[in-house]
Amino acid sequence: MASRWPVVAPLAAIAVVGAAFLLPLGALLVWLAVPALVAAVVAAVHHAEVVAHRVGEPFGTLILALAVTVIEVALILSMMLAGGAEAAALPRDTIFAAIMIIANGAVGLCVVAGAIRHREQTFRLEGATSGLAALIALATLTLVLPTFTTSAPGPFYTPVQLAFAGVASLVLWGVFVFVQTVRHREYFLAPGAAGDEDAHAPPPTVAAAWASFALLLVALVAVIALAKVLSLERGVAAAGAPQAVIGIVIAMLVLAPETWAAVRAARADRMQTSMNLALGSALASIGLTIPAVAVASVLLGMRLKLGLDSGKDLVLLVLTFAVGTITLSTGRTNVLHGAVHLVIFAAFLVLAFAP
């Protein structure tokens, strides 16, 4: 049965989703939806690792980042359609939460987990700093500048400015992918044999890799659908939490497979894979989400509230990038780096619920 659970889990999760849409959402279905959601996340990580093992780095981490981001965009767009003008800030909240979760939560967990087991770990400085530079530029263009532009009142872009932000995001992400996979692929490969998957186990067959890719998509769709079934909006409202918490919950659910995969890689002394996952998913989150929601806002006639209009959020963003620059400046990690990132992430969560 141990070898069958990665196949059974996503299919069972999809079955729970189908039952939830066909039957009234009672207590029994809720009790089924929660473990199904957890199982789908675990299965997604497993299948992503199978695909990554087959295609090698950095293509494997890129596949997971792309799959997860496409599902994230679909969830945001579905909530925008359902929420109307009240959902104008949802893309901003989700993207900001994704940056905080990845750059602080995921990176902090990876560094601490790796340090506990291996004391100190290394990664390629060229790839990490390239990804961080692109992430800082994208975050500033999409989350900071709208607050300070004067053509439109408030933290909004005009249609022309929004179009530029969407195109710039897509171009920067595309150039990063080109550098990661073609022009400077060596920047994203581990400096030693520790990052060589083939040194530990033979890669899966092509058929097994394609099957895992299909099941990865099924698992990710199940995660998002189950999140909708459990009604995040009503749960956040019932808890009396701020609306921005919806974006945090979405980002956490969507990024759970990548975060888990990154932590597992760090514990296996593959910090390069962890960094590839973290930076790649953060860049994909902005580079694909902003163009998609920009097009949707034009088609729906909805204004997007992109700018961070809270001083605490701007301070947390600047602090995150300042500390991230220091963490990635040497190509080596230690437990203190991870602890600092986790403290910043904890501050983000506390201030989200108690602004």
Side-chain angles (χ1 to χ4, degrees), residues 122-129 186-191 272 328 331:
T122 61
F123 55 90
R124 289 294 295 265
L125 196 60
E126 302 92 335
T129 53
E186 68 277 7
Y187 289 177
F188 302 88
L189 299 177
Q272 184 65 54
L328 302 181

Side-chain angles (χ1 to χ4, degrees), residues 16 19-20 23-36 229-230:
V16 172
L23 303 172
L25 186 61
L28 178 60
L29 273 180
V30 171
W31 281 104
L32 288 175
V34 172
V229 166
L230 293 171

Side-chain angles (χ1 to χ4, degrees), residues 49-310:
E49 290 178 339
V50 171
V51 174
H53 193 175
R54 176 63 200 183
V55 302
E57 287 295 328
F59 294 100
T61 54
L62 176 63
I63 289 172
L64 179 56
L66 273 174
V68 167
T69 305
V70 168
I71 301 300
E72 176 188 6
V73 170
L75 181 57
I76 291 174
L77 292 179
S78 68
M79 289 191 172
M80 287 176 63
L81 287 170
E86 294 182 0
L90 181 61
R92 177 202 66 186
D93 295 338
T94 305
I95 291 172
F96 178 60
I99 293 174
M100 292 293 107
I101 291 168
I102 293 166
N104 290 313
V107 169
L109 283 173
C110 288
V111 173
V112 169
I116 290 173
R117 196 163 188 176
H118 305 285
R119 295 178 64 88
E120 187 180 77
Q121 293 176 292
T122 61
F123 55 90
R124 289 294 295 265
L125 196 60
E126 302 92 335
T129 53
S130 298
L132 182 63
L135 180 59
I136 292 173
L138 281 176
T140 303
L141 287 172
T142 56
L143 298 179
V144 178
L145 274 183
T147 305
F148 298 97
T149 55
T150 58
S151 298
F156 295 92
Y157 266 152
T158 65
V160 172
Q161 292 169 336
L162 183 61
F164 169 77
V167 172
S169 299
L170 197 59
V171 167
L172 271 180
W173 177 76
V175 173
F176 172 77
V177 171
F178 174 70
V179 168
Q180 185 185 37
T181 58
V182 180
R183 180 58 60 89
H184 297 292
R185 185 184 173 193
E186 68 277 7
Y187 289 177
F188 302 88
L189 299 177
D196 186 3
E197 296 282 341
D198 295 336
H200 300 282
T205 63
V206 174
W210 275 110
S212 283
F213 180 70
L215 288 167
L216 168 64
L217 296 181
V218 172
L220 291 173
V221 170
V223 168
I224 303 307
L226 287 169
K228 289 290 289 180
V229 166
L230 293 171
S231 188
L232 299 181
E233 305 95 322
R234 286 200 295 269
V236 169
Q243 282 294 107
V245 174
I246 296 176
I248 297 175
V249 176
I250 292 173
M252 281 187 167
L253 283 172
V254 170
L255 295 171
E258 283 180 297
T259 301
W260 193 345
V263 172
R264 284 166 59 96
R267 284 181 55 81
D269 201 17
R270 292 187 285 116
M271 182 56 70
Q272 184 65 54
T273 298
S274 298
M275 290 298 175
N276 289 348
L277 275 167
L279 293 171
S281 57
L283 287 168
S285 180
I286 301 178
L288 296 179
T289 301
I290 291 298
V293 298
V295 171
S297 70
V298 172
L299 295 178
L300 299 174
M302 178 192 302
R303 297 184 71 194
L304 286 179
K305 191 176 183 181
L306 280 182
L308 294 172
D309 50 2
S310 168

Side-chain angles (χ1 to χ4, degrees), residues 33 42 48 84 88 129 268 311 330 349:
V42 176
T129 53
T330 63
L349 291 179

